Amino acid sequence: MSLVKVGVIGIGNIGSSHVQMLNKGQIEGATLTAICSRNENRIEWVKNHTIGDIQVYKDEETFLNESEIDAILIATPHYSHPELAKKAFAKGMHVLIEKPAGVYTKNVLEMNEAAKSCGKVFGIMYNQRANPLYQKLRDLIQSGQLGDIKRTNLIVTDSYRPQSYYNSSKWRATWKGEGGGVLLNQALHQLDILQWTTGYMPKRIRAVCSLGKYHNIEVEDDVTAYMECENGATGVFITSTGEVPGTNRFEVVGDRGKIVVENEELIFYQLTQSEREFNTSFTGGFGKPEYRKINIPVKGENANHSSIIQNWIDAIVKGSPLLAPGEEGVKAVEITNAIYLSSWLNQPIELPIDVDFYYEKLQEKINHSTFEKQNISNVTLDVTGTH
């Protein structure tokens, strides 16, 4: 079978990494044949850092119409993901989008409908789904070994960013350019993992987002959210780009114990008896169920982005199931939208959200913005080791 001809649009921090991965032949069954960028410096970078005959386009319409690619990897700024994906579907292309699926739920749902109608392979770069730690956590939860979930506690403060990061591009950390801050850019992977591993979407969220608490930006860089689920489980989610040393800890408590994922380890505190059963049967007053601490061995390394791209290509070529279907990108986006609404309105928000209302409120943020970013460097950053 011939190689899948892949085009990459958006040659920024992460797009550059994808270009090199594809061009070096690290993705079996795929070949990079075209790129699209409006930035002359990034076009020159592609010419100097790739081999072979790669078509270069500056205009997205020409790129989509003339490149003759089979599949497109979209690594442009957030707002453009749904619109570019819809255009690619209309051309009969397979699509892999970088996270987030979009900025607001309304057009992400429209993108999903376009994907459904097109019938092409649609994936999203939720690279943490390729992490063996979270795959094992999901297996333990979905198999029922943890019992009914009572509580989750997710702390993601290990994505520290200095001011120079935000100054690297004009669009970053603005409502108009990025549509949000730490929630959409750094913590979205963990919000995906939260619902993917547990199988639960919140039904109600109460949150506080601090805007520019640690940086000169107009969007949030510190968030605390309280979540409630349909079965009565609750959760706390904390994220920030202003803490050092940071924490990345996911704690899930169930009827039959507690699982903690932290520092590349997965520990299962497994009860010998269901807590609910013990609660009703024990008569001694101060007793508690016994448990054993199990360090669960996890095989394999987190191959990150390469695993998701390879899985996408395998789905195109071999019909393999997608690890991160693009249609599922809407879930984490809706959670972020609910968190923003709760903070903006200072009240709990029920899910599913009113998608038109959120879009209206986001436009108010954009239209009423008076923020002007200073000292913009317009540089492409090396993302090695940041994900």
Side-chain angles (χ1 to χ4, degrees):
M1 184 175 292
S2 60
L3 297 175
V4 176
K5 293 181 290 185
V6 180
V8 177
I9 182 167
I11 316 298
N13 295 351
I14 198 65
S16 301
S17 175
H18 298 334
V19 163
Q20 289 194 319
M21 194 182 304
L22 287 159
N23 187 242
K24 291 178 180 178
Q26 295 175 356
I27 305 300
E28 184 179 345
T31 180
L32 177 69
T33 61
I35 66 98
C36 183
S37 175
R38 300 172 186 171
N39 189 319
E40 290 286 354
N41 291 332
R42 300 315 299 157
I43 290 174
E44 195 63 27
W45 177 90
V46 170
K47 292 177 179 179
N48 294 331
H49 290 81
T50 58
I51 58 174
D53 184 19
I54 298 174
Q55 302 171 72
V56 174
Y57 296 89
K58 298 178 183 179
D59 174 71
E60 66 185 46
E61 296 297 333
T62 308
F63 171 65
L64 292 170
N65 290 327
E66 300 181 7
S67 63
E68 297 184 346
I69 56 176
D70 305 309
I72 183 172
L73 200 165
I74 299 171
T76 51
H78 303 164
Y79 275 102
S80 61
H81 293 178
E83 291 307 314
L84 283 172
K86 287 190 289 185
K87 290 179 180 180
F89 289 135
K91 299 294 181 182
M93 297 175 184
H94 305 286
V95 173
L96 177 62
I97 55 172
E98 262 296 339
K99 58 80 184 169
V103 173
Y104 51 94
T105 305
K106 182 177 182 178
N107 69 343
V108 175
L109 290 172
E110 293 170 354
M111 174 179 63
N112 286 354
E113 283 299 313
K116 183 179 178 181
S117 300
C118 176
K120 294 297 181 177
V121 177
F122 178 33
I124 185 169
M125 192 64 76
Y126 278 153
N127 56 287
Q128 287 306 309
R129 291 194 184 191
N131 189 331
L133 284 167
Y134 295 124
Q135 291 178 345
K136 186 61 178 180
L137 172 63
R138 187 173 189 266
D139 289 343
L140 290 170
I141 293 173
Q142 298 299 323
S143 66
Q145 295 185 59
L146 191 61
D148 293 334
I149 294 177
K150 297 180 175 181
R151 180 182 61 81
T152 60
N153 192 350
L154 180 53
I155 305 174
V156 189
T157 59
D158 63 341
S159 296
Y160 177 80
R161 296 291 186 269
Q163 185 65 42
S164 57
Y165 166 81
Y166 295 106
N167 291 351
S168 67
S169 181
K170 183 178 180 179
W171 66 275
R172 283 203 181 281
T174 62
W175 294 117
K176 182 179 180 180
E178 196 164 22
V182 62
L183 281 174
L184 278 175
N185 206 327
Q186 284 79 35
L188 199 81
H189 287 299
Q190 281 74 20
L191 286 175
D192 173 64
I193 289 299
L194 174 65
Q195 60 81 27
W196 181 67
T197 57
T198 63
Y200 292 170
M201 276 287 287
K203 72 170 184 178
R204 183 181 299 108
I205 293 178
R206 180 68 175 95
V208 176
C209 300
S210 297
L211 309 180
K213 184 175 183 179
Y214 300 114
H215 307 89
N216 183 28
I217 57 177
E218 70 170 347
V219 295
E220 85 290 347
D221 56 4
D222 190 84
V223 177
T224 299
Y226 170 75
M227 305 178 182
E228 299 176 18
C229 295
E230 196 68 46
N231 76 328
T234 61
V236 175
F237 174 69
I238 298 170
T239 189
S240 174
T241 55
E243 296 183 12
V244 179
T247 297
N248 192 328
R249 178 183 174 93
F250 189 18
E251 184 175 302
V252 187
V253 179
D255 176 48
R256 295 185 174 273
K258 176 176 70 174
I259 300 176
V260 177
V261 179
E262 187 176 23
N263 299 325
E264 301 301 317
E265 292 183 332
L266 192 154
I267 301 175
F268 189 3
Y269 299 86
Q270 187 178 47
L271 300 184
T272 58
Q273 179 184 8
S274 159
E275 182 279 326
R276 292 288 79 197
E277 294 174 359
F278 181 89
N279 180 67
T280 57
S281 62
F282 183 72
T283 60
F286 286 103
K288 61 183 178 181
E290 296 180 356
Y291 67 88
R292 54 177 182 157
K293 179 181 177 182
I294 308 171
N295 287 280
I296 304 288
V298 177
K299 297 181 180 180
E301 296 182 0
N302 183 9
N304 256 303
H305 297 90
S306 62
S307 286
I308 298 298
I309 299 176
Q310 185 65 66
N311 172 246
W312 175 56
I313 294 297
D314 289 344
I316 295 170
V317 176
K318 306 174 184 178
S320 304
L322 279 173
L323 180 59
E327 292 85 353
E328 295 184 10
V330 70
K331 296 179 181 179
V333 172
E334 184 170 22
I335 293 173
T336 67
N337 289 179
I339 290 174
Y340 286 134
L341 276 178
S342 177
S343 184
W344 296 344
L345 302 177
N346 192 28
Q347 67 183 47
I349 297 296
E350 301 285 334
L351 284 83
I353 66 167
D354 181 331
V355 297
D356 291 311
F357 181 67
Y358 180 78
Y359 179 76
E360 175 189 326
K361 290 300 178 184
L362 176 61
Q363 297 312 302
E364 289 180 7
K365 287 287 183 183
I366 295 170
N367 294 333
H368 296 161
S369 172
T370 58
F371 181 80
E372 293 186 12
K373 186 178 285 189
Q374 305 295 320
N375 303 316
I376 301 170
S377 58
N378 287 322
V379 297
T380 301
L381 303 173
D382 184 357
V383 298
T384 305
T386 64
H387 45 261

